[in-house]
């Protein structure tokens, strides 16, 4: 890319265009897909550039990093998401500070979020993270376990479950990730309509820099994109 063109604003436009095209290919309304800029390790000045270019959703992984960024950028026109692994002892500081926690990966964590949300007098929006590949290195509910856990999750009145999230195993091509995205969509459908009061399955948080167009074709309502917006993190 021409150095002059390779700005955050240009990348934001590019990713938004890709999302629009993928949604149209699938006969979906592009506005039903929200682009969450995965902003771990990205300094606040660069986040400001992204927000100026039209980013409305920011997703952070680590509480210690996120809190100063939230203080500096504020919440005006910016919706903050928590997308990283969440330890139970940090739940108290996360509840109420992030619109949606995408990474609820166990019943014990869900119960702690419920407890802290109750204490804070609010309902916390969350997504349930699913371990589609059965990877031992990753957290998340086993797809086959979720059905049996729904009644217990539905008891948690201060938890507002909106859907599912997944980080599929790494694949060679974006197309190779399609079966995982489809599986998440079908799982959400299978979990819908069991008489739950506090659970709905409208949201699907799936797709990252290398495969978000495929995720959108398969029904993603949130894509979490870092590298394609901010460049490599050098991790
Ligand atoms: C970093 C991260 C992303 C974005 O990954 P990229 O490949 O940089 O787009 C998405 N989701 C989660 C949970 C992440 O930690």
């Amino acid at each position: 890319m021409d150095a002059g063109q390779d700005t955050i604003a240009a990348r934001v436009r590019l990713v938004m265009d890709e999302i629009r095209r993928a949604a149209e290919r699938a006969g979906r309304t592009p506005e039903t897909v929200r682009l969450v800029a995965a902003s771990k390790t990205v300094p606040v000045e660069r986040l400001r550039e992204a927000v100026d270019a039209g980013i409305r959703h920011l997703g952070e992984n680590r509480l210690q990093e996120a809190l100063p960024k939230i203080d500096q950028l504020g919440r005006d026109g910016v919706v903050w998401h928590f997308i990283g692994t969440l330890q139970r002892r940090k739940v108290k500081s996360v509840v109420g500070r992030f619109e949606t926690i995408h990474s609820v990966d166990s019943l014990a964590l869900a119960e702690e979020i419920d407890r802290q949300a109750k204490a804070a007098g609010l309902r916390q929006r969350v997504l349930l993270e699913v371990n589609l590949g059965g990877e031992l290195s990753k957290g998340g509910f086993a797809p086959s376990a979720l059905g049996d856990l729904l009644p217990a999750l539905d008891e948690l009145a201060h938890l507002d479950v909106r859907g599912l999230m997944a980080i599929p195993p790494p694949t060679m091509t974006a197309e190779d990730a399609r079966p995982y995205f489809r599986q998440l969509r079908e799982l959400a459908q299978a979990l819908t309509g069991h008489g739950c009061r506090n659970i709905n399955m409208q949201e699907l948080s799936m797709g990252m820099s290398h495969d978000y167009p495929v995720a959108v074709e398969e029904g993603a309502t949130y894509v979490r994109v870092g590298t394609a917006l901010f460049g490599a993190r050098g991790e």
Side-chain angles (χ1 to χ4, degrees):
M1 226 187 270
D2 182 308
Q5 289 293 305
D6 193 17
T7 61
I8 288 179
R11 291 174 185 192
V12 168
R13 274 195 301 276
L14 203 108
V15 172
M16 285 178 167
D17 277 353
E18 286 285 337
I19 291 172
R20 183 168 336 102
R21 276 199 290 274
E24 283 164 359
R25 280 197 298 278
R28 303 183 56 203
T29 310
E31 289 71 36
T32 59
V33 185
R34 279 141 304 165
L35 170 58
V36 178
S39 47
K40 56 177 175 276
T41 78
V42 179
V44 84
E45 310 80 66
R46 290 168 63 77
L47 298 191
R48 204 165 266 131
E49 276 182 66
V51 170
D52 287 345
I55 290 292
R56 290 293 165 262
H57 297 268
L58 293 173
E60 285 282 333
N61 290 61
R62 297 179 197 91
L63 184 68
Q64 313 86 289
E65 183 185 336
L67 293 181
K69 288 178 172 176
I70 296 175
D71 280 346
Q72 291 176 61
L73 267 183
R75 299 171 184 280
D76 249 15
V78 181
V79 179
W80 292 89
H81 299 257
F82 195 87
I83 64 174
T85 304
L86 179 54
Q87 292 162 306
R88 265 190 280 170
R89 62 188 170 82
K90 303 237 169 108
V91 165
K92 191 177 162 71
S93 306
V94 167
V95 160
R97 285 204 167 94
F98 295 83
E99 185 217 37
T100 302
I101 302 171
H102 290 229
S103 42
V104 175
D105 58 4
S106 71
L107 183 59
L109 181 61
E111 287 170 342
E112 179 61 12
I113 294 171
D114 178 67
R115 198 163 24 245
Q116 295 298 343
K118 183 177 184 187
L122 54 88
R123 280 183 89 211
Q124 178 67 53
R125 246 185 229 188
V126 304
L127 305 177
L128 306 175
E129 181 171 351
V130 181
N131 190 340
L132 292 176
E135 293 168 284
L136 297 174
S137 60
K138 275 183 196 156
F141 294 97
S144 58
L146 264 182
D148 288 343
L149 286 171
L150 277 194
L153 289 164
D154 196 45
E155 289 294 308
L156 307 175
H158 297 269
L159 208 66
D160 183 6
V161 179
R162 292 294 180 109
L164 303 178
M165 179 271 228
I167 307 170
T171 55
M172 286 298 287
T173 69
E175 199 52 43
D176 291 342
R178 188 182 297 277
Y180 292 110
F181 298 142
R182 191 169 291 165
Q183 190 192 347
L184 196 70
R185 185 186 70 221
E186 289 172 354
L187 181 60
Q189 281 161 355
L191 295 172
T192 299
H194 292 275
C196 293
R197 290 158 303 151
N198 299 313
I199 298 178
N200 83 52
M201 285 286 151
Q202 281 172 14
E203 309 288 356
L204 292 175
S205 174
M206 59 188 192
M208 316 201 313
S209 289
H210 72 290
D211 56 15
Y212 66 91
V214 175
V216 169
E217 288 175 5
E218 292 300 328
T221 62
Y222 291 110
V223 291
R224 307 175 312 270
V225 177
T227 311
L229 295 172
F230 302 114
R233 286 179 293 272
E235 284 169 345

